[in-house]
Amino acid sequence: MRKAWLTASVAGICLAPCAALAQTAPTAAEAPKAQDESNPDGAPDIIVTAQRRAERLQDVPIAITALTSDQLAASGVTDVTKLNTVTPGLYIQASTGFVSPHIRGIGTSAGGAGLENSVAVYIDGVYMASQPGSLLSLNNVERVEVLKGPQGTLFGRNATGGLIQIITRDPTQDFTTRFSAGYGNYDTITGGAYIAGGLAPNLAMDVAAQVSAQGNGYGTNVATGNDVYRTKFDLALRSKLVFTPSAATTIKLSGDYERRIGNASISSKQVPGIKPAFGPAYNIGTWDINSDFDPFQRLTGGGASLDIQQDLSGVQLQSITAFRKSQYAIGFDTDLTPTPAQTLTNSVLKDRQFSQELKLQSDARSKIQWVVGAYYFSANAELDPNILRLGGPAIPPPPAPPITGISGYSKLTTRAWAGYAQATVPLGDRTKLTGGFRYSTERRTIFSTTAATLINGIVINPFGPNVSQSETFSAPTWRVSIDHKIDDNNLVYASYNRGFKSGGYNARNAAAPAFKQEQLDAYEIGIKSDLANRVLRVNAAGFYYKYRNIQVSRFEQNNIFIYNGAGAEIYGLDLDLQLRPARGLTIDGGVSILHDRFTSFPNADRYTPNPLGGSIRSTVSARGNRLPITPDATLNLNVHYVRETSSGIWSFDLGGYYNSGFFGQPDNVLKQPAYALLDASIGWKSADKRFGVRVWGKNLTNRPVATALGQSDTSAIVQYDAPRTYGITFSTEF
């Protein structure tokens, strides 16, 4: 019945514009002129690389939201975590500094050493394994592509739910400079720079920088009087060197560096109304906390990549080699009270990764478009050290043994290999059949040791046996799709995809067996349509997912682990719209509607508040419950208007986002209610576009939105996104 509902709903979406066009649709021989010639103010062509080659967005049979740098700037999207406000079906959770994207209900809610997302993040073809390292500022960006549904063939690695692909600008021989500086509330200062140009006839380089400093936090730790929800310093640097020794060869060398200091995404408090285990319930401001220990986070990271592209007389060879390294340190009060009971005083996550990909593909002139490739990935993730302090001067140390601290070391390694191939074969003039296959295998290992400090200062090392485990996970994944161009402006398609994410280990529970690999089978039908001479663009997709061995987060003793939920079913619709009713006016919108339920989950955690404090954990069936961090509906609407006058170029932007709300955990107890956000800005540029100023505001309704919701036996944690912010930005360009 549900599959029938899906098919009927999307068929209606697909057939409505097709029926209107059927009477006048031209044949291939009568194809009209390129629409960008007949209506330069219509929806522009966006070139994407969703199938690892440059293609028009409207020609790719995949549900994609593609955002150009101009769209991102107009919408006020300055980092990855804000992409959900402009992308239907995408929700990005940023908790304790770990970035966890969810697409159509598929995503990972746990963050930690060696834990990777079910939605992959790529920058210029390089996979970003580290979750803290995925918290990226969007400087020097040409476009962002959000691919929805499993990308199990051409990308493959941990792209069960889809992927976010960030493509940065390539420098050219033209000398270009852009600078910006701004000031906002909470004493926030921002600055940005981009410089690019030719160093030699066949050599070009750019440097991009973005920096911000927040003088005041959004809230206060009422127990200590210090600021929380504050990013003291955030710096992102990126540079790219492009060398073209011949028309057949292009070499790109890229490097980046990021440093962030503060406590913005690690400040947390007890959920109002639930009594913590080590103190009384408290009622404080939304962005305030009440802890004896001030939270902190420090991230330093970066990497380099070498992309070599060679034309071999009609066949394209590409090699992408990359290395990345980061160190992320955090500390916070895990009991969330002024009582010094349990404190993670210092936890340092050290990540290193190396990847190598070789890809051979046909060029654009080939009748059959094909690609074959091989991929290798190696990563080390260490918790070194991980120090938990128990008790303090005010209370005897829990638990019963006289232990005042536990420190641990864990190392997780990953070695992964994959081979893949995909081909698109024309079936007549307007129909194409695509088939792809990938085989992946991963070896996961863990080593862990723990030491304990007694109340008399004696250190027991090791405290319990050392742990050493390993396991291999392998799986085939594939893609089959068929698409048909009704005419030059309307494409319909249907696809079946399988996605896979390997299992692994929990660094903070190393003795537990490996959690299982997850698998997703996805069925999708959709349409991509440009109507009324590209005044209106409608891209719609309907999908049905069968999800197995879901990797679900668990809070236990205030640590986050992963365990497996048995299965779930998800189906729904998403819609991307762009309307250009008049010159200078663009309206972008999107809708996502989901139905998601666990079909089997007999061992789900359920937390019941304990009247004495904390919660009592039990095991129940979560069958029929909704998946965590999965809203039933989201809606985004962005209006952009540009007007050229004698005094300069004026721009007006208004952005709205609605979310129907979501649960934090499989037990469906803690919930973020439905909410709406409103952003706006007014900008001016000189007639020659060299100077500009913009006044902006975000979350103008000052709505609190939880970025993390979870219960454990000792506490129920909540973290919030930013409150109302506003400011002014000056820019210049030459």
Side-chain angles (χ1 to χ4, degrees):
M1 180 64 184
R2 292 168 179 168
K3 292 184 180 180
W5 174 88
L6 170 66
T7 304
S9 299
V10 179
I13 292 175
C14 296
L15 292 176
C18 298
L21 293 164
Q23 297 178 4
T24 58
T27 64
E30 300 169 334
K33 290 191 204 175
Q35 293 289 346
D36 56 332
E37 295 178 5
S38 60
N39 181 15
D41 295 319
D45 283 338
I46 299 177
I47 303 301
V48 298
T49 52
Q51 297 190 113
R52 307 300 296 272
R53 64 175 71 247
E55 299 172 288
R56 291 176 63 247
L57 170 67
Q58 297 304 96
D59 293 337
V60 180
I62 300 173
I64 308 169
T65 296
L67 302 158
T68 65
S69 58
D70 290 340
Q71 288 176 299
L72 294 169
S75 303
V77 176
T78 57
D79 62 66
V80 169
T81 63
K82 304 305 177 187
L83 285 173
N84 53 282
T85 61
V86 291
T87 307
L90 172 68
Y91 185 82
I92 298 182
Q93 182 184 30
S95 171
T96 62
F98 295 98
V99 178
S100 302
H102 293 68
I103 296 179
R104 296 172 172 174
I106 310 299
T108 300
S109 299
L115 301 181
E116 300 174 51
N117 288 313
S118 299
V119 173
V121 177
Y122 282 77
I123 297 184
D124 292 336
V126 176
Y127 170 65
M128 309 284 288
S130 171
Q131 291 173 307
S134 300
L135 189 64
L136 301 165
S137 300
L138 297 177
N139 64 334
N140 189 25
V141 168
E142 178 181 306
R143 70 182 182 278
V144 174
E145 303 171 11
V146 180
L147 281 60
K148 303 169 187 178
Q151 308 299 315
T153 302
L154 298 181
F155 294 93
R157 178 165 179 77
N158 295 336
T160 314
L163 68 91
I164 299 171
Q165 185 169 211
I166 301 170
I167 295 91
T168 65
R169 288 188 177 92
D170 284 343
T172 66
Q173 291 293 316
D174 297 331
F175 182 70
T176 303
T177 61
R178 290 195 306 274
F179 300 96
S180 66
Y183 182 80
N185 60 332
Y186 298 101
D187 196 22
T188 302
I189 300 172
T190 60
Y194 179 75
I195 303 173
L199 302 179
N202 57 357
L203 185 66
M205 182 179 179
D206 69 4
V207 177
Q210 187 166 301
V211 63
S212 67
Q214 183 181 335
N216 300 314
Y218 302 145
T220 302
N221 184 349
V222 298
T224 66
N226 295 323
D227 283 359
V228 293
Y229 285 105
R230 177 187 174 196
T231 302
K232 294 181 180 179
F233 180 75
D234 188 2
L235 172 66
L237 301 173
R238 189 171 185 87
S239 182
K240 183 184 293 185
L241 192 70
V242 178
F243 178 47
T244 52
S246 69
T249 306
T250 301
I251 301 172
K252 300 178 184 179
L253 178 63
S254 300
D256 65 273
Y257 173 83
E258 185 164 16
R259 180 161 176 77
R260 182 180 298 108
I261 302 171
N263 55 27
S265 61
I266 201 168
S267 299
S268 55
K269 67 175 183 179
Q270 181 76 12
V271 172
I274 300 179
K275 185 180 183 297
F278 296 103
Y282 50 81
N283 185 18
I284 56 179
T286 300
W287 285 274
D288 294 333
I289 71 171
N290 191 18
S291 299
D292 62 279
F293 184 86
D294 287 319
F296 71 88
Q297 55 190 157
R298 295 187 299 269
L299 170 67
T300 303
S305 65
L306 180 64
D307 182 346
I308 302 174
Q309 302 174 39
Q310 179 68 45
D311 187 345
L312 302 174
S313 300
V315 176
Q316 308 295 320
L317 175 65
Q318 183 177 25
S319 168
I320 301 177
T321 307
F323 174 78
R324 301 198 62 79
K325 183 178 181 180
S326 66
Q327 179 169 300
Y328 180 56
I330 60 173
F332 64 98
D333 184 1
T334 61
D335 60 82
L336 306 178
T337 71
T339 302
Q342 297 180 353
T343 307
L344 188 67
T345 58
N346 192 30
S347 180
V348 181
L349 170 57
K350 301 173 183 178
D351 280 308
R352 287 178 295 164
Q353 71 171 71
F354 171 82
S355 61
Q356 173 64 58
E357 183 172 16
L358 290 173
K359 177 168 65 74
L360 193 66
Q361 66 181 30
S362 60
D363 68 12
R365 296 167 294 180
S366 175
K367 186 174 182 180
I368 296 176
Q369 297 287 297
W370 56 266
V371 57
V372 295
Y375 182 78
Y376 172 73
F377 176 83
S378 172
N380 293 329
E382 294 179 273
L383 272 180
D384 183 23
N386 186 67
I387 302 173
L388 181 67
R389 186 182 68 201
L390 302 174
I395 62 170
I403 298 173
T404 61
I406 297 175
S407 61
Y409 168 83
S410 297
K411 181 178 182 180
L412 298 96
T413 62
T414 302
R415 303 290 182 267
W417 302 263
Y420 61 88
Q422 182 168 300
T424 299
V425 180
L427 304 177
D429 293 335
R430 294 189 177 275
T431 306
K432 295 179 181 178
L433 177 66
T434 298
F437 182 83
R438 185 183 190 108
Y439 190 81
S440 305
T441 184
E442 298 190 17
R443 182 71 171 173
R444 300 271 195 169
T445 64
I446 186 171
F447 171 79
S448 181
T449 185
T450 303
T453 302
L454 303 183
I455 196 169
N456 58 7
I458 296 175
V459 177
I460 301 175
N461 189 9
F463 183 64
N466 294 339
V467 175
S468 181
Q469 298 189 76
S470 63
E471 190 162 340
T472 299
F473 304 89
S474 302
T477 53
W478 55 76
R479 170 177 173 79
V480 179
S481 74
I482 187 167
D483 64 88
H484 176 73
K485 296 201 77 170
I486 299 170
D487 56 35
D488 288 346
N489 299 313
N490 295 274
L491 173 81
V492 293
Y493 67 90
S495 66
Y496 166 44
N497 300 269
R498 169 164 288 186
F500 149 81
K501 181 187 175 188
S502 80
Y505 296 97
N506 292 292
R508 291 188 171 96
N509 191 16
F515 52 85
K516 300 176 184 178
Q517 63 192 43
E518 62 180 19
Q519 176 182 301
L520 180 70
D521 285 311
Y523 307 86
E524 180 171 307
I525 56 177
I527 183 171
K528 297 192 171 184
S529 183
D530 284 336
L531 305 173
N533 202 14
R534 290 189 307 118
V535 169
L536 175 64
R537 173 169 291 170
V538 181
N539 292 345
F543 52 91
Y544 176 84
Y545 288 174
K546 200 71 175 177
Y547 200 8
R548 299 177 180 87
N549 288 330
I550 305 170
Q551 296 172 7
V552 182
S553 65
R554 160 184 284 165
F555 286 80
E556 186 176 306
Q557 292 291 326
N558 294 294
N559 284 316
I560 302 177
F561 308 126
I562 284 182
Y563 71 127
N564 290 100
E569 177 185 67
I570 305 171
Y571 57 87
L573 304 167
D574 53 37
L575 182 71
D576 280 284
L577 297 170
Q578 186 174 99
L579 178 65
R580 295 202 165 196
R583 174 164 292 188
L585 177 61
T586 302
I587 302 172
D588 293 305
V591 179
S592 173
I593 300 173
L594 283 178
H595 176 93
D596 61 289
R597 295 292 186 272
F598 284 108
T599 55
S600 175
F601 196 171
N603 61 325
D605 290 344
R606 178 180 175 84
Y607 288 93
T608 304
N610 186 339
L612 300 178
S615 299
I616 301 171
R617 181 164 69 98
S618 58
T619 299
V620 299
S621 171
R623 177 183 173 90
N625 285 8
R626 288 171 52 189
L627 275 66
I629 323 298
T630 305
D632 286 340
T634 61
L635 170 68
N636 62 275
L637 184 66
N638 296 274
V639 180
H640 176 63
Y641 180 65
V642 178
R643 178 73 182 271
E644 295 187 18
T645 69
S646 58
S647 62
I649 304 170
W650 292 86
S651 62
F652 306 87
D653 292 280
L654 186 66
Y657 174 76
Y658 170 79
N659 186 306
S660 65
F662 51 84
F663 291 102
Q665 293 175 290
D667 60 9
N668 287 188
V669 174
L670 297 182
K671 183 180 182 181
Q672 164 62 50
Y675 63 93
L677 303 176
L678 181 65
D679 301 339
S681 68
I682 300 175
W684 171 87
K685 279 188 177 182
S686 59
D688 60 4
K689 301 183 180 180
R690 293 180 62 179
F691 301 98
V693 61
R694 178 176 292 270
V695 178
W696 54 267
K698 299 180 181 180
N699 190 9
L700 294 176
T701 57
N702 203 34
R703 185 63 190 265
V705 178
T707 58
L709 276 172
Q711 287 193 82
S712 71
D713 47 356
T714 59
S715 60
I717 187 172
V718 60
Q719 297 174 357
Y720 290 101
D721 206 349
R724 180 191 299 118
T725 56
Y726 50 85
I728 186 169
T729 302
F730 301 91
S731 61
T732 182
E733 182 173 345
F734 297 93

